[in-house]
Amino acid sequence: MALNNNIFCVSNPARMLDGLWQVICESGIDLSKILIFVPSRRAGRSIEKMIVDKVGHAVILPHIVPLGVGIEGEDIEDSNSAQVVSSQERVIKMADILSHIPNIRNVASAIPVAHTLITMQDYLENSGKEISDIDWQDVIGDEYASHFQNNSAILSVLSQVNDEIFNGRYSETKFRNSAVYAWCDYVKKLPTNDSLVIVCGSTASVPVTRNLMTVIAGLTNGRIILSGKIAGRAEDFELNTNPYNSEYEFIKGVGISPTDVREIDVGKSHMDFMNIAFGNEFTNASAYNLENCHLIETNRESEEAAAAVEIAVRAIANSKSVLIITPDAAGNQRLQTEFNRRKIVADFSGGIPGTFTPAGRAILNLLDDWIESGNGDFETIYLSVQFNLFDAVAEIIEKYANSFSPQFVIDDSVSMQVWDAIKKLSDCLNKHEIRVGITDARALISDALSGIRVRAPMNSDADVVVLGTIESRMQTADVVILTGLNEGMFPALGYENPWLPRKISDKIGIPSPNHKVSLMALDFMTLSCGREVYWLRSKVSGGVQTQESRFISRVIAARGLFDKDIAKDILSAVRSRDIVPEKLLRYDDPTPPADWSDVYVTELETLIHNPYAFYVQHILHLRPEKDYWAGVDASDFGILVHDVLGHAPDTSTAEDLVAKMDARAREILNKNNLLFAIWHRRFVEIAPVAVEVLKNTPNAATEIKGGIKIGNRNVRAYADRIWNGGVLDIKTGTAPSKNQIMDGNMPQLPLEALMLKNGGFTTYTSSVSDTPIMVFVQLKSHNVRIIKYDCDETAMAMQATYDKTLELFNMYSVGAAPYKYLRTSDSKYKAVDDFARVDERD
């Protein structure tokens, strides 16, 4: 094969596309008859754009094929063929089987274990091993620790899953591998004198891809363009952390040495220095100037993201393109947040996990809340939809739309990808008749969403592109920013097999965790050859001090000189953005623009007694949060009583009502709680009066909405109880005094009566309602009673309240009066005192 002289590298990996163009031009083959294999679809799009730019006119492009397998992270689309068992289905079935093992017990605990087993199987299939052919008890002999011998029982579950769900079908890995093997046969049949087959930018890290490259290297019309610029000692290449470990295995396999690789001259780069820095041979060379590289060390991860965006903003101002590399999804999210803050459009089409989307986070957050509270809502809904998880989620979204945090758009492109992932999960559970509780459902949804990459449409006009390390291969820009350069992040270790001793893993073809370190090292070297490169790292991550990436350490050890001075300027700009200029607090009464929005009768009461509180709650839409640590209080008692009485049949007895209120109280309080005993005594006191009310107002409508227009503004209500000729309000505390009612200062019930008179409720009324009555049911402890206002008193109260309300609207909506803070001793109107800084006022 060496005689073909057809394996290349480029002098500057940042200009690999120029090297590819040289190979294409030197071949003399028509573009339409060229087949090019690349690491990713993005690389393919870059090649298409490069060719069009070079040719300068419309042209029939080469056939460009993205290669790779999902287990290595390379971008090749999963098949939906009926011949293929999805990885998700394998994990779910595996987790279901494992959940019956005593020390695992549930699906949520089994999912991580299932993933390690499925990943191990995929690696074995990449190496050409059949899992069903392995006798684990024989492989893990007596010479190994009992821990590994005990694992053989769990490893045998792999074969069980194969037998139960594969039924002659392929795994995704095996299916993709078979497709690559098919390419091996295909390229051999191409006419050698009228076609060209190129593999460009592959690391040869996957055995099946290496096999294809070997076949193409053996063709006279085949060309291989390797990543990097391989040079150095064989003993270094054989180390599994070496950047060229995979390429060396390929080169050795085709019978040539690194010196036989032909270099395509596309200009100078720092690759010769990088090869020295990442080798293990001592050198006494003089210092080397990496004039294009800059190191910025930040205090925390959020500051690192802000620094990356600051660099990008400056580059854009100078009409430069920007490529940002982030090795993890969390870093991607931090960057997106910072770009949004700076109002910069960036291409994040590399995607984020579904768990990072608003819809994904909202669903998981709500399930977390339910798990903590143990309210049983999920189980009720799940049962009502016949154990269909997707239908349960749909029901939850419809029923609890206002409870989600963050809020999301249900039918945008991002959310639709989340629903699709949950639908596939649900179908898989239904297929295998697996039913789950809320904890397992939450774990399965999280796992399903973690397994998808939610991608926005590719924005080819964006000046900034944000990619992961794998997607970045064959990409470059005027400014390249590498983020996350800490140990454990860039580089990060790959798959660590917990089931087998390292010696056995090596023997059966499972790569070392250092395999990923090797690939990321090559990515670091090639990306650092760009025109202008920034290395970013945070000194602290998650509150823990970090260690700089070994890649930076190697550059320093090899006496590489790079710029650090720019860090001061960048960080000064970033930190200055967080300095908010002091502004003295103003205690002026607020005068917002005229408010003509709908207002509820209970809000009008607040406007009368403390206009500032109305301003905060109605106009600013702020509500004081209940103290998380606060216990049950009077408001919970009031909600309970209103709910029971609002749904009680007219024929209820006192015993019925007490039993229902006791049952509701037990849901809130422990039966032995002293407060339960106090509440029970109040229930006993309340029940006879409540029975009298129900008896005297038969067929009444409860908790009903109503409205009326006063001074061109809609006033709304939510009445406790109305009937033809009267309105009723339940007060678990003290009812308003007669003077307050007749002066119009307690507008709720009089306005509800006015709504009844004017047909403001969607319920039957007759002429009796033209002169309604008002009834308060006061449920104050030791003073439970019914307070009635006859039709004449009600008419006077309605008129006084109407006039008062019109006066308020003329003052605030028309007259733009300030919303003054009025001191009051009634706690009902003091909810915003802290916000108003009452103690600081004169």
Side-chain angles (χ1 to χ4, degrees), residues 182-193:
W183 279 114
C184 294
D185 295 332
Y186 176 86
V187 297
K188 293 176 185 176
K189 298 174 184 178
L190 293 174
T192 57
N193 61 344

Side-chain angles (χ1 to χ4, degrees), residues 312-313 316 320-324 339 344-348 459 461-466 481:
V313 169
I316 293 170
K320 295 179 180 179
S321 59
V322 181
L323 171 63
I324 301 181
F339 275 116
I344 300 295
V345 177
D347 178 9
F348 283 86
N459 185 352
D461 296 327
D463 294 310
V464 181
V465 178
V466 181
I481 305 171

Side-chain angles (χ1 to χ4, degrees), residues 649-650 694-702 721-724 763-764:
D650 297 340
L694 295 174
K695 180 181 178 181
N696 294 335
T697 57
N699 303 317
T702 60
R721 193 173 182 88
I722 67 169
W723 64 95
N724 186 22
T763 186
Y764 168 75

Side-chain angles (χ1 to χ4, degrees), residues 112-227:
V113 182
H115 271 290
T116 63
L117 290 169
I118 295 301
T119 302
M120 184 174 73
Q121 181 178 4
D122 288 339
Y123 274 119
L124 289 171
E125 289 182 348
N126 270 335
S127 302
K129 305 289 194 309
E130 286 292 341
I131 197 76
S132 56
D133 294 339
I134 299 177
D135 183 340
W136 294 108
Q137 292 183 342
D138 182 58
V139 169
I140 306 174
D142 295 338
E143 67 272 24
Y144 293 104
S146 59
H147 161 74
F148 291 114
Q149 295 181 36
N150 293 336
N151 285 344
S152 62
I154 294 181
L155 290 171
S156 64
V157 175
L158 279 170
S159 299
Q160 182 181 346
V161 171
N162 283 0
D163 295 339
E164 290 192 17
I165 71 171
F166 273 79
N167 193 26
R169 295 182 294 166
Y170 289 149
S171 67
E172 291 176 359
T173 298
K174 188 180 290 187
F175 184 85
R176 288 191 293 258
N177 288 352
S178 67
V180 176
Y181 284 123
W183 279 114
C184 294
D185 295 332
Y186 176 86
V187 297
K188 293 176 185 176
K189 298 174 184 178
L190 293 174
T192 57
N193 61 344
D194 194 30
S195 66
L196 184 66
V197 183
I198 304 172
V199 178
C200 184
S202 174
T203 59
S205 59
V206 182
V208 67
T209 306
R210 189 182 306 158
N211 184 74
L212 174 64
M213 292 171 65
T214 300
V215 170
I216 294 173
L219 302 174
T220 57
N221 62 330
R223 305 288 187 273
I224 308 293
I225 305 177
L226 298 174
S227 297

Side-chain angles (χ1 to χ4, degrees), residues 659-673:
K660 288 180 180 178
M661 288 188 282
D662 277 350
R664 286 291 305 277
R666 288 190 189 99
E667 296 175 5
I668 303 172
L669 304 169
N670 186 293
K671 183 176 180 181
N672 298 321
N673 191 312

Side-chain angles (χ1 to χ4, degrees), residues 198 210 231 267 278 284 287 461 489 746 753 807 820:
I198 304 172
R210 189 182 306 158
F278 282 77
N284 198 26
D461 296 327
M489 184 63 67
M746 298 299 284
E807 178 187 350
K820 294 180 176 294

